Amino acid sequence: MSTSSVPRPPESAAPSGPLRRPGLPRITRRGIPEGALPALALFAAVRLAGVLAVILTNAVRGHPLLRTLAHSWDSRWYLHIAAQGYGHKIWITPQGDVQSDWAFFPLYPGLIRALTTILPFTPGQAALLIAWTAAGVAAYGVYVIGHHLYGRGVATALVALWAALPHSVELTIAYTESLFAALAIWSLYCVLKGRWLWAGVLAALAGLSRPSGFAIAGAVSLAAGYEALRQRGRVPVSLWAGAVLAPLGWLGYVLWVGSRIGDVLGGYFKVQSAWDSRFDFGAGSARFLKALLLHGGGVVYPVALAIVATGVLLFALLCLERPPLVLVVFAGILILLVVGGSGSFSSKPRFLLPAFPLLIPMARALARTWRLRPAHAVVVYGALTVVSLLFGAYVTAVARSPL
């Protein structure tokens, strides 16, 4: 219908009600879920407190204040790749294994290199800026998914719990966890909203950021296959495109490394094997548990075991909640990698950081507690936050265990 046929009031007519301010743009009125800004402010406050706790611990120990944030363990490898490229750094272990920089995926160092090229930042500053920005983007994605599925209360609790995990300090150091989480979480959201092409693109980028990138690739592809089966094949072409794109980032880097070292299919896995990183169906975890029971393990290793065990329990509770399939698959693959993979057990908790769906049962319980007994919810969350800050500062600035 032509707009000229719509009746208009006379120009001289006075408005029938009080004057209203012009409406907000649609992206402001409808694009940002209700309650997102307070939740993100809480996330930023907790993580900023975590950064300050690390800085204070470094000051007490007489260390450079920001060094452990930007130059801890794997951070040094990423910064070296950003500055020199691949194939220029190796480390020979006491056992004679040759560890090379090919084990580290390229997206994070590539972004560091790009940022230092266009802005007057050092590689360490660029690495932290990327990590902190990605952590905020990831937290917003957690809130959006929580709000989409369960509403404002659970979404806020979900973001709050994610900020206060014992190992959440690793969202704000020069590591890939925050970048991978941001890409994977928004890929999951695109699946939930049926935006398959974007889901595949983001999953492919996530696959270029971490070895565990195939977790989101697998989740997107399986969700696409399930949707096609459910709809008896009557699905848009974008679904198939997203399913095909999702694994290309991870697969492309794995094959590229293999071609560089002369073994296309197995080369990357040989590189990872030198880092004692392989899927051994839980044999390494069993050896670790036996050694821990026989000899003890200080603070970091028992806490790491408790975190992984809690993750397994939360996965069982998540399945009882019957959330969307893509969330279950994503969290399940990450749990499987942690429990069934070898490598230092002290690093395993950070591998679970992107698996925020594991927190859904706890978030729903915390939201109920807040409605019924808000004082109890504040005490519980306050205790979790204190533990997170203390443990994060300890593992980053004090402990010598691999992060």
Side-chain angles (χ1 to χ4, degrees):
M1 181 168 58
S2 170
T3 56
S4 62
S5 65
V6 179
R8 294 181 173 85
E11 294 183 2
S12 61
S16 60
L19 291 173
R20 295 182 180 179
R21 295 180 179 179
L24 295 175
R26 180 176 180 179
I27 190 172
T28 304
R29 289 187 290 111
R30 300 181 183 178
I32 301 177
E34 181 187 12
L37 294 181
L40 292 179
L42 176 60
F43 176 85
V46 172
R47 291 309 343 129
L48 177 60
V51 171
L52 294 177
V54 173
I55 292 174
L56 179 60
T57 305
N58 281 329
V60 170
R61 293 174 59 81
H63 295 162
L65 299 184
L66 297 177
R67 183 169 183 81
T68 51
L69 292 173
H71 298 272
S72 293
W73 297 94
D74 290 358
S75 302
R76 301 167 192 161
W77 289 85
Y78 288 119
L79 296 178
H80 190 275
I81 294 169
Q84 304 293 332
Y86 283 101
H88 298 285
K89 184 176 175 66
I90 64 170
W91 175 261
I92 301 177
T93 69
Q95 294 76 30
D97 294 319
V98 180
Q99 297 176 340
S100 71
D101 52 16
W102 300 110
F104 298 91
F105 276 56
L107 184 58
Y108 187 47
L111 291 175
I112 295 171
R113 179 68 172 267
L115 198 57
T116 55
T117 300
I118 62 176
L119 294 174
F121 289 158
T122 66
Q125 292 169 343
L128 288 179
L129 179 59
I130 293 167
W132 294 352
T133 302
V137 172
Y140 181 48
V142 170
Y143 185 88
V144 169
I145 290 177
H147 190 278
H148 173 70
L149 295 176
Y150 303 106
R152 176 177 179 175
V154 174
T156 301
L158 197 58
V159 172
L161 289 171
W162 199 55
L165 288 174
H167 44 299
S168 283
V169 67
E170 292 170 58
L171 291 172
T172 43
I173 65 175
Y175 266 46
T176 57
E177 267 60 38
S178 56
L179 178 61
F180 172 66
L183 294 167
I185 287 166
W186 281 100
S187 178
L188 294 173
Y189 176 72
C190 289
V191 170
L192 296 177
K193 299 294 286 185
R195 300 168 185 167
W196 293 101
L197 187 59
W198 274 110
V201 170
L202 292 170
L205 290 173
L208 287 171
S209 63
R210 282 200 52 74
S212 53
F214 75 88
I216 183 63
V220 171
S221 297
L222 285 174
Y226 174 76
E227 182 67 13
L229 183 64
R230 193 173 69 87
Q231 298 292 339
R232 298 182 179 180
R234 294 189 293 270
V235 293
V237 175
S238 61
L239 181 144
W240 301 115
V244 170
L245 284 171
L248 292 186
W250 182 86
L251 185 62
Y253 182 70
V254 167
L255 295 178
W256 182 73
V257 170
S259 68
R260 297 284 291 185
I261 64 175
D263 183 357
V264 174
L265 297 180
Y268 174 78
F269 302 102
K270 292 178 181 177
V271 169
Q272 285 284 22
S273 182
W275 288 83
D276 191 28
S277 178
R278 65 182 72 87
F279 191 81
D280 60 5
F281 298 93
S285 296
R287 288 194 298 270
F288 162 77
L289 181 59
K290 179 180 178 181
L292 185 64
L293 293 175
L294 292 177
H295 308 293
V299 174
V300 174
Y301 289 98
V303 172
L305 177 61
I307 292 171
V308 172
T310 302
V312 174
L313 174 61
L314 289 175
F315 180 71
L317 295 176
L318 175 68
C319 292
L320 294 177
E321 296 275 352
R322 301 183 67 182
L325 175 67
V326 69
L327 300 185
V328 175
V329 173
F330 177 63
I333 293 177
L334 290 176
I335 285 284
L336 185 63
L337 291 177
V338 166
V339 174
S342 61
S344 175
F345 216 90
S346 63
S347 299
K348 289 181 181 289
R350 71 178 170 91
F351 300 158
L352 291 177
L353 269 175
F356 78 94
L358 297 175
L359 299 174
I360 288 175
M362 291 180 61
R364 300 188 72 180
L366 184 61
R368 286 193 298 269
T369 304
W370 173 257
R371 289 194 301 269
L372 300 174
R373 299 181 180 87
H376 291 186
V378 170
V379 170
V380 170
Y381 186 70
L384 291 174
T385 302
V386 170
V387 170
S388 173
L389 299 182
L390 294 177
F391 185 70
Y394 179 77
V395 297
T396 306
V398 179
R400 297 180 179 275
S401 306
L403 288 174

